[in-house]
């Protein structure tokens, strides 16, 4: 990767737009054209290099997790092939957590009580085995065939009510 990245919302971005995101996803084989078009409304932030190249994209959507019995923002990141050995994924995650938590704290958007994602990269799982990551406090929940589930509850979020007895 050449130089540091900026992490900004896609909407109104001065250097990249929706077509750039579609081109990255489809051009690198991450998604087919129909999948990419369907996921485009979920794009929150993009990472752009100092040279104006789209390096990575993150999406979020509200998801009711049945295991945790809570509505959470489900987070996904795609990092372009040329930028995989960088800290761009961490920068996008940090930026997204900060934005969604700020919206939760000030009451603008309290639909999701936290942010969750499935870590699917074996190399990252091996390198970051802490139950709670120190730089971006995301807690280990469980491992499943879909990857390692990590969650960050927003400050002040309440645990779900206990199940009702039948």
């Amino acid at each position: 990767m050449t130089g540091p990245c900026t992490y900004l919302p896609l909407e109104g971005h001065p250097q990249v737009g929706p077509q750039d995101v579609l081109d990255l996803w489809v051009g690198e084989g991450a998604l087919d054209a129909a999948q990419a078009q369907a996921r485009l409304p979920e794009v929150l932030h993009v990472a752009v290099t100092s040279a104006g190249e789209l390096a990575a994209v993150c999406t979020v959507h509200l998801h009711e997790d049945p295991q945790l019995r809570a509505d959470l923002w489900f987070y996904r990141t795609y990092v372009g092939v040329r930028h995989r050995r960088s800290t761009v994924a961490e920068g996008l995650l940090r930026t997204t957590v900060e934005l969604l938590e700020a919206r939760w704290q000030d009451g603008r958007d309290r639909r999701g009580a936290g942010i969750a994602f499935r870590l699917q990269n074996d190399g990252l799982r091996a390198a970051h085995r802490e139950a709670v990551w120190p730089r971006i406090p995301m807690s280990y929940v469980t491992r499943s065939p879909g990857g390692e589930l990590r969650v960050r509850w927003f400050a002040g979020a309440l645990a779900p009510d206990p199940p009702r007895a039948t």
Side-chain angles (χ1 to χ4, degrees):
M1 183 170 74
T2 57
C5 284
T6 58
Y7 308 99
L8 295 170
L10 175 62
E11 187 176 329
H13 196 284
Q15 293 175 289
V16 300
Q19 188 60 50
D20 298 300
V21 173
L22 295 172
D23 291 346
L24 178 68
W25 282 338
V26 175
E28 294 195 358
L31 300 171
D32 67 32
Q35 292 169 318
Q37 195 65 48
R39 194 169 295 176
L40 193 59
E42 298 176 359
V43 173
L44 184 60
H45 288 115
V46 292
V48 178
T49 68
S50 56
E53 179 186 2
L54 179 60
V57 178
C58 80
T59 62
V60 295
H61 68 275
L62 202 57
H63 174 72
E64 182 180 358
D65 188 291
Q67 183 179 12
L68 299 175
R69 297 185 359 261
D71 289 334
L72 299 168
W73 292 106
F74 191 78
Y75 173 88
R76 289 184 283 216
T77 299
Y78 180 76
V79 178
V81 172
R82 292 177 5 97
H83 305 280
R84 299 244 167 109
R85 298 220 178 263
S86 70
T87 60
V88 69
E90 181 182 330
L92 270 177
L93 178 59
R94 179 184 314 284
T95 300
T96 301
V97 166
E98 288 171 358
L99 174 68
L100 294 175
E101 187 153 21
R103 289 178 178 174
W104 168 269
Q105 291 298 324
D106 67 17
R108 280 181 289 161
D109 191 343
R110 296 186 62 95
R111 294 177 294 160
I115 187 168
F117 71 91
R118 294 208 176 270
L119 181 59
Q120 297 173 318
N121 182 297
D122 290 333
L124 287 175
R125 273 201 304 262
H128 302 285
R129 296 196 54 234
E130 302 92 347
V132 179
W133 288 344
R135 295 197 310 223
I136 304 172
M138 300 288 298
S139 299
Y140 172 85
V141 176
T142 190
R143 184 169 291 149
S144 69
E148 179 180 290
L149 180 63
R150 293 259 170 186
V151 173
R152 172 165 174 156
W153 298 98
F154 297 147
L158 300 176
D161 291 331
R164 293 191 174 144
T166 56

